[in-house]
Amino acid sequence: MKLAVILVNYNGDNYNIPCIESVRANVGSFETKIVVVDNASSDISMRHLEEKYAGIQEVELVYLDDNYGFSRANNVGIERAKKWGADYVLLLNNDTEIAADMISHMLACAKRHPESMVAPKIYYSDDRERIWSAGGSVSPVVKKARHIGLNERDEGRYDREAKIGFATGCCLLIPVPVLERAGGLDERFFLYYEDTEYCFRLHRLGIRIYYCPQAVMYHKVGASSKGADSPLCAYYIARNWLLCNRLHLGRRYPVFVMYYALNRTVCCLLWLLRGKGALVRATLRGIADYRKGCFGRAQGYS
């Protein structure tokens, strides 16, 4: 069995090697290829990887000529994985470390549920008893995705394997036949909501998503995107949330727009009270770019 692990790097010098070494420490009866796709980083992260993994065929470095975003970089990695002959692809954030048996547990879950996508249990890296994601759910009307168990201490409530509505792109195990059927990530998103859209797409195709609680990993939350409270985050969430739900809500989209307007208005008022006008400006620009059909990378927010 062949497994390709795809890491996207953008100035991630502090994260890449611990993540890669945690993957290499995984044990099981599978052949692994780690593909690092670099989005034209300006730091020394790729030089360090070149020095660390020179001559190691297990690690492949791919260099893009510009910052094309999370979706396109993953898609480039997926194509490399297919050419290598992978049976499964694991999309993995580079600001993570995985337990030594995580991959084996995810593959076992995938075998129990053929042609399904699998997600692990994710803890905060700096508080390894506090859950960041135990799978995800989607609200019935406006299809708002949320992490199950977010910020809860792990007391065993989320130790049962289950079908879920949403899985974070932080770590996704995808069989190649699912990729062939559903395609790759939508490159219009650049950053944020590409995982939500992908989950919605799988559901429309009748492809299930499973949460595997025995598979454990640790996430340095916000490390790769400058944190949730940033203009970058505010811009892409404002724009991409609209795009994602327009693609999948159908007749319910006007109801979502009303909810969205209230949600973003409250956020903007709170940001103004806290003196964070840059977040308000980023949100308004995101909405304007959505209305103009401007997607992909936005100048000043990458």
Side-chain angles (χ1 to χ4, degrees), residues 15 17 38 47 63 69 71 76-77 91 114 121 151-152 167 177 183 190 200 213 223 236 244 255 274-275 284 290 301:
Y15 312 112
I17 290 176
D38 181 62
R47 188 200 316 168
Y63 300 81
S71 295
V76 169
L91 305 185
K121 179 186 286 186
N151 292 326
E152 293 184 27
F190 189 83
F200 290 173
Y236 284 112
C244 176
V255 177
R274 293 162 55 196
L284 295 176
Y290 165 78
Y301 296 118

Side-chain angles (χ1 to χ4, degrees), residues 98-111:
I98 68 177
D101 58 357
M102 186 197 83
I103 291 175
S104 293
H105 282 302
M106 293 184 79
L107 288 171
C109 181
K111 288 181 180 179

Side-chain angles (χ1 to χ4, degrees), residues 11-196:
N11 296 333
D13 189 47
N14 293 331
Y15 312 112
N16 291 324
I17 290 176
C19 179
I20 292 171
E21 289 304 299
S22 73
V23 173
R24 297 184 72 204
N26 261 246
V27 293
S29 56
F30 50 87
E31 184 180 353
T32 305
K33 169 77 77 174
I34 302 168
V35 182
V36 182
V37 183
D38 181 62
N39 262 325
S41 294
S42 58
D43 68 354
I44 58 174
S45 55
M46 294 307 287
R47 188 200 316 168
H48 283 165
L49 294 182
E50 291 167 359
E51 295 170 352
K52 175 74 174 178
Y53 299 108
I56 298 177
Q57 294 186 350
E58 182 186 9
V59 179
E60 178 181 356
L61 306 180
V62 180
Y63 300 81
L64 303 183
D65 61 4
D66 201 352
N67 181 9
Y68 294 108
F70 184 77
S71 295
R72 181 165 173 181
N74 268 304
N75 287 342
V76 169
I78 288 168
E79 290 306 311
R80 294 292 183 111
K82 289 180 181 178
K83 289 180 181 178
W84 177 63
D87 301 295
Y88 293 88
V89 170
L90 182 71
L91 305 185
L92 183 66
N93 276 19
N94 64 341
D95 57 351
T96 64
E97 294 179 44
I98 68 177
D101 58 357
M102 186 197 83
I103 291 175
S104 293
H105 282 302
M106 293 184 79
L107 288 171
C109 181
K111 288 181 180 179
R112 289 191 293 273
H113 308 286
E115 295 200 19
S116 297
M117 189 166 72
V118 178
K121 179 186 286 186
I122 308 174
Y123 295 95
Y124 286 89
S125 182
D126 58 357
D127 187 351
R128 297 195 170 197
E129 294 182 357
R130 188 159 58 104
I131 296 170
W132 184 66
S133 178
S137 64
V138 179
S139 64
V141 179
V142 299
K143 293 187 72 123
K144 181 174 174 58
R146 71 172 187 89
H147 293 302
I148 296 171
L150 179 65
N151 292 326
E152 293 184 27
R153 310 303 296 183
D154 192 358
E155 298 177 349
R157 290 182 59 197
Y158 306 109
D159 286 349
R160 179 178 296 180
E161 185 173 293
K163 186 172 67 172
I164 55 176
F166 162 75
T168 170
C170 179
C171 182
L172 298 172
L173 179 69
I174 313 173
V176 168
V178 168
L179 289 166
E180 296 286 2
R181 185 177 170 194
L185 302 179
D186 190 325
E187 296 179 10
R188 287 175 292 181
F189 288 89
F190 189 83
L191 181 69
Y192 290 121
Y193 275 90
E194 71 290 314
D195 51 0
T196 307

Side-chain angles (χ1 to χ4, degrees), residues 267-284:
C267 285
C268 287
L269 289 174
L270 291 174
W271 286 330
L272 287 173
L273 290 173
R274 293 162 55 196
K276 294 181 178 283
L279 301 183
V280 177
R281 290 190 293 274
T283 295
L284 295 176

